[in-house]
Amino acid sequence: MLQLVLAVSAFTVATAVYAVIGLRWWRRARKRRAVLALVAALDLEPYHASALKSEEVEAAAAELLLGGYLDIDGPGAARLTEEGREPGRPPPAHPLPAALLEAVRRYDPEPVSIGWINRYDAEYQIRRQAYEREQDALLPPIPRIPRDPGEPGRLMNCCGCVGIVLLVGFWCAVGMLLVLARPHGVRGWAAAVVAAGCLAALGYAEVAGRAVRARTACEDPLGDRVRTQCHPALAALDERQRLRIRRSADDDRMWRGAVDEDDDLEDDLEDDLDDDWWADAYHYRAADDDEPDGKPLG
């Protein structure tokens, strides 16, 4: 009789636990399908997709390079070509490569890196950020799938902890009763087997919950989509051109266009002061060595 009660109790609890897991799976899977369908239906402009993965400056440089406006050498220095210097030649139609072309023209004829423009050129940053804000405003709100079932608030977290404690206590109590109470007859053994099977299923409930969260995860669907896209200008480059653009975009120190002469003078002055300090230090050190024990020679 005890084994039958334990079997019914364990079966009821296991059914309730897996019903909650199944309901969570169904809700998360339905929400994930809706999010993926929404992201798949987006009509992303190529430069906007590049901006979402921080490659818009490389895409603009690639378009200028393919259009003959720009030339980038091996170390990553960007210079205008003769065609790029022609005053009558119209700039690219898109605002991002047009802004990058104007920025390079501001430093002409000095070489400048794409990374320097992207990081320090204020006018280019203003135009780039304005374009990104305009395109981001066109994106619909994308729902987020919660990572943790307890994310809605502290009350749900507390209820979840209490439920886990009760479930562990129930599992231990039923397990001890099954071990201590010897079943009698076929019905008793069958009930004991059912109870033991339900306890084993409860032991794997946490594993099942993690599997549900992993299978229905949808952390960054928009980022996953844009990472699979490549701007047409970048796709049209050969490996050598792609490497030079990447090197120029990563460099924000070496090639920085025209430099203010006052900055160079200050740097030279600081270097001269440092050199004088080391010379004086060596002079005083040499004087100390010439006078051992604090007495002058001779």
Side-chain angles (χ1 to χ4, degrees):
M1 183 65 182
L2 179 60
Q3 285 77 18
L4 183 60
V5 173
L6 295 177
V8 173
S9 302
F11 180 79
T12 302
V13 173
T15 302
V17 169
Y18 277 92
V20 173
I21 294 176
L23 178 62
R24 183 182 303 159
W25 191 346
W26 175 74
R27 292 179 60 185
R28 288 173 62 92
R30 185 182 64 173
K31 192 171 186 178
R32 181 176 183 269
R33 287 193 297 268
V35 169
L36 293 180
L38 177 62
V39 172
L42 293 177
D43 186 16
L44 292 176
E45 203 264 340
Y47 274 103
H48 189 206
S50 299
L52 291 175
K53 54 181 178 177
S54 302
E55 289 184 355
E56 71 278 8
V57 66
E58 291 93 333
E63 182 172 343
L64 295 178
L65 187 65
L66 294 174
Y69 295 92
L70 199 66
D71 184 29
I72 300 178
D73 59 14
R79 295 178 176 85
L80 289 176
T81 61
E82 294 300 329
E83 297 178 359
R85 292 190 179 95
E86 293 180 2
R89 187 177 183 185
H94 198 275
L96 283 187
L100 182 60
L101 179 61
E102 291 182 9
V104 177
R105 283 175 174 171
R106 283 194 292 271
Y107 296 99
D108 188 63
E110 299 292 335
V112 64
S113 67
I114 304 302
W116 173 268
I117 294 176
N118 188 47
R119 185 170 182 179
Y120 296 108
D121 192 282
E123 186 173 346
Y124 173 78
Q125 289 181 355
I126 291 174
R127 296 181 62 177
R128 174 175 57 82
Q129 292 171 3
Y131 167 77
E132 292 176 0
R133 286 194 298 268
E134 179 184 354
Q135 293 297 319
D136 290 341
L138 300 178
L139 290 176
I142 299 176
R144 185 179 64 90
I145 298 179
R147 300 180 181 180
D148 191 344
E151 278 189 359
R154 295 182 178 180
L155 179 60
M156 294 298 296
N157 289 333
C158 294
C159 293
C161 293
V162 172
I164 291 175
V165 170
L166 294 177
L167 185 62
V168 171
F170 173 81
W171 193 92
C172 294
V174 173
M176 290 180 61
L177 291 176
L178 284 177
V179 173
L180 296 178
R182 182 180 179 84
H184 299 282
V186 177
R187 183 178 297 178
W189 279 104
V193 170
V194 172
C198 292
L199 290 182
L202 287 175
Y204 285 98
E206 178 61 25
V207 177
R210 289 199 301 266
V212 167
R213 291 192 294 271
R215 289 176 179 271
T216 57
C218 191
E219 301 292 339
D220 186 17
L222 183 59
D224 294 338
R225 178 186 169 181
V226 299
R227 279 188 287 270
T228 61
Q229 292 184 238
C230 184
H231 194 275
L234 288 174
L237 298 177
D238 56 30
E239 189 62 29
R240 182 182 181 185
Q241 293 172 327
R242 189 176 294 111
L243 178 62
R244 290 185 174 185
I245 287 180
R246 177 65 63 182
R247 185 175 298 162
S248 182
D250 292 340
D251 177 28
D252 58 2
R253 293 183 180 273
M254 181 180 297
W255 306 107
R256 53 197 181 109
V259 182
D260 191 358
E261 295 181 357
D262 294 337
D263 296 339
D264 289 341
L265 292 176
E266 292 179 0
D267 294 340
D268 294 340
L269 181 59
E270 292 178 358
D271 294 339
D272 293 340
L273 292 176
D274 292 339
D275 294 339
D276 293 341
W277 185 88
W278 284 106
D280 293 340
Y282 177 79
H283 173 72
Y284 295 142
R285 179 69 179 176
D288 293 339
D289 292 340
D290 291 340
E291 298 181 359
D293 299 330
K295 298 179 181 180
L297 296 177

